[in-house]
Amino acid sequence: MRIIQVEERDKRGYMDLLLLADEQENMIEKYLYRGEMFALYDDDLRAIAVVTDEGGGDFEIKNIATVPAYQRMGYGKALIEHIVRQHRESGRTLYVGTGDSPLTLGFYGRCGFVHSHTVKNFFVDNYDRPIVEDGKQLVDMIYLKREL
Ligand SMILES: CC(C)(COP(=O)(O)OP(=O)(O)OC[C@H]1O[C@@H](n2cnc3c(N)ncnc32)[C@H](O)[C@@H]1OP(=O)(O)O)[C@@H](O)C(=O)NCCC(=O)NCCS
């Protein structure tokens, strides 16, 4: 298994996988170029993540996705552990914002994140169409955090 940091010019090549975690391309473009992108390979591509520096020691995972055929095999968690190791010296807290969906909240809980705060109506205010996950429309953004 190897994790690489993706060069600026190669980032768009991962768009299909980025869209799995965030279905609106113009929302992805808001953070793609100011963030660092990591790609995990195990033979072929397994998972990607984008992390931004929010200042004051705060970092945020803006996007994380594992190729569907390789989900639940530990790749998402391995990427998060890599991000934590990479930012431990300069960072204080790693945040992630997600919809109120048991699918993603379960994953982040297993990766050591706890509840931080909620941004009311984030998904209805920022996306053109309703975002539905697991049959439920997402409304508020739930922020979780893990100390670095
Ligand atoms: C969320 C996602 C990135 C998880 O990646 P993954 O590679 O499948 O996760 P892992 O195999 O590393 O799982 C790590 C832990 O979380 C648990 N987990 C993973 N998915 C879970 C789920 N849907 N519900 C509950 N727990 C889950 C695993 O069982 C594992 O637990 P363990 O450490 O006790 O064994 C992946 O499901 C995905 O790409 N989903 C679509 C995109 C998406 O929704 N991204 C998040 C946007 S906020």
Side-chain angles (χ1 to χ4, degrees):
M1 192 193 308
R2 70 196 166 93
I3 297 174
I4 61 156
Q5 189 166 343
V6 177
E7 305 266 350
E8 211 61 30
R9 62 171 187 275
D10 297 329
K11 285 179 173 175
R12 280 202 71 86
Y14 294 83
M15 191 52 83
D16 284 354
L17 199 46
L18 291 163
L19 284 164
L20 206 62
D22 190 348
E23 59 186 69
Q24 201 169 301
E25 202 163 318
N26 66 342
M27 291 297 282
I28 293 173
E29 276 163 357
K30 285 187 182 170
Y31 53 75
L32 189 59
Y33 295 103
R34 70 180 182 93
E36 301 172 284
M37 183 190 272
F38 297 99
L40 186 155
Y41 287 84
D42 199 1
D43 296 329
D44 52 0
L45 176 66
R46 302 292 158 108
I48 51 98
V50 180
V51 185
T52 55
D53 183 346
E54 299 296 318
D58 292 345
F59 289 86
E60 186 174 334
I61 297 176
K62 292 287 192 182
N63 191 308
I64 182 164
T66 299
V67 173
Y70 301 121
Q71 287 178 4
R72 303 297 280 255
M73 294 170 72
Y75 293 116
K77 193 174 186 178
L79 257 185
I80 286 187
E81 292 310 320
H82 179 81
I83 290 164
V84 167
R85 278 195 304 276
Q86 288 275 313
H87 295 89
R88 196 158 256 164
E89 273 187 21
S90 57
R92 193 185 55 171
T93 310
L94 180 62
Y95 288 93
V96 65
T98 181
D100 186 5
S101 156
L103 286 179
T104 43
L105 290 173
F107 165 70
Y108 290 120
R110 298 301 306 162
C111 292
F113 286 81
V114 295
H115 184 265
S116 171
H117 59 282
T118 299
V119 179
K120 286 270 170 211
N121 297 320
F122 179 86
F123 289 99
V124 279
D125 289 346
N126 288 284
Y127 286 81
D128 302 338
R129 299 184 300 275
I131 306 292
V132 178
E133 205 169 282
D134 213 18
K136 184 180 163 193
Q137 186 183 346
L138 304 184
V139 178
D140 301 334
M141 172 90 97
I142 314 288
Y143 269 92
L144 306 170
K145 64 179 178 181
R146 179 173 159 177
E147 297 311 325
L148 287 166

